[in-house]
Amino acid sequence: MVRKRQILVIGNNTNGCTPKHEKIAYDIGSEIAKSDSVLISGGLGGVMEASSHGAHDANGFTVGIIPQDDASFANEFCDVVIPTGMGLTRDYLNALSADGVIIVGGGSGTLSEACASYMHKKPMVAIKNLGSSVDPYIDGYIDHRKNIKIIGVDTAQEAVKKILELITA
């Protein structure tokens, strides 16, 4: 049996998540499911919930790695919930669980997950022009080490196609 690809979707939580973020995240979740990959997220609201919802509606499989110690905090579209009780340090679990990362907007928490992914050289793709904390690094690097370039794309379909290419490269 071949292990399925695991794609982490990160971005705005409920606070700051716009209908545009939700639509893009939902479509990304759907595309991940169609690619027969597992969607991983932080398991809460906003982009995490919208992407999980999209994957769920496309008969995909979703994992939510939540910061709380109680699974009831996870959104309803998580097939598997991993309650860590670790607070924000769970960002490292998210990053290390992923074969690749797709970024949809986001603030400091998203930047933290992107940095954790960057340090572990996880391929990353970001939707451009969403006004996120990651925007300054799109099509470039987070620091002088040039570990991994964050590739900018315009659509959900491009994001999933590109992350799959980067994972298998």
Side-chain angles (χ1 to χ4, degrees):
M1 180 180 206
V2 177
R3 183 179 70 82
K4 291 188 178 210
R5 294 167 298 223
Q6 298 175 183
I7 301 172
L8 173 64
V9 179
I10 62 177
N12 290 89
N13 62 19
T14 305
N15 183 17
C17 190
T18 68
K20 181 176 182 178
H21 292 112
E22 288 177 351
K23 170 73 169 116
I24 292 168
Y26 180 93
D27 290 346
I28 286 170
S30 178
E31 292 295 318
I32 288 172
K34 291 174 190 173
S35 77
D36 198 30
S37 300
V38 175
L39 183 139
I40 299 173
S41 78
L44 302 175
V47 163
M48 298 171 276
E49 183 172 6
S51 61
S52 298
H53 189 178
H56 179 267
D57 285 356
N59 298 311
F61 190 80
T62 63
V63 176
I65 303 174
I66 64 171
Q68 296 89 350
D69 62 1
D70 180 349
S72 69
F73 284 93
N75 73 64
E76 65 182 293
F77 303 106
C78 293
D79 295 308
V80 172
V81 177
I82 301 172
T84 66
M86 298 174 68
L88 297 176
T89 57
R90 74 82 153 84
D91 291 354
Y92 283 88
L93 291 178
N94 292 357
L96 290 170
S97 298
D99 296 312
V101 181
I102 299 176
I103 305 165
V104 183
S108 60
T110 302
L111 185 57
S112 171
E113 282 177 293
C115 287
S117 301
Y118 180 84
M119 290 188 298
H120 292 281
K121 300 180 181 173
K122 300 293 182 168
M124 286 188 276
V125 172
I127 303 293
K128 296 188 280 190
N129 303 315
L130 292 180
S132 89
S133 60
V134 179
D135 282 358
Y137 309 106
I138 294 176
D139 292 326
Y141 303 93
I142 292 177
D143 70 11
H144 64 281
R145 286 174 276 217
K146 298 184 177 180
N147 284 347
I148 195 92
K149 185 181 268 190
I150 299 175
I151 306 297
V153 296
D154 295 310
T155 68
Q157 293 75 18
E158 288 177 88
V160 175
K161 180 180 178 193
K162 188 62 174 177
I163 203 65
L164 291 172
E165 287 172 9
L166 294 170
I167 289 169
T168 58

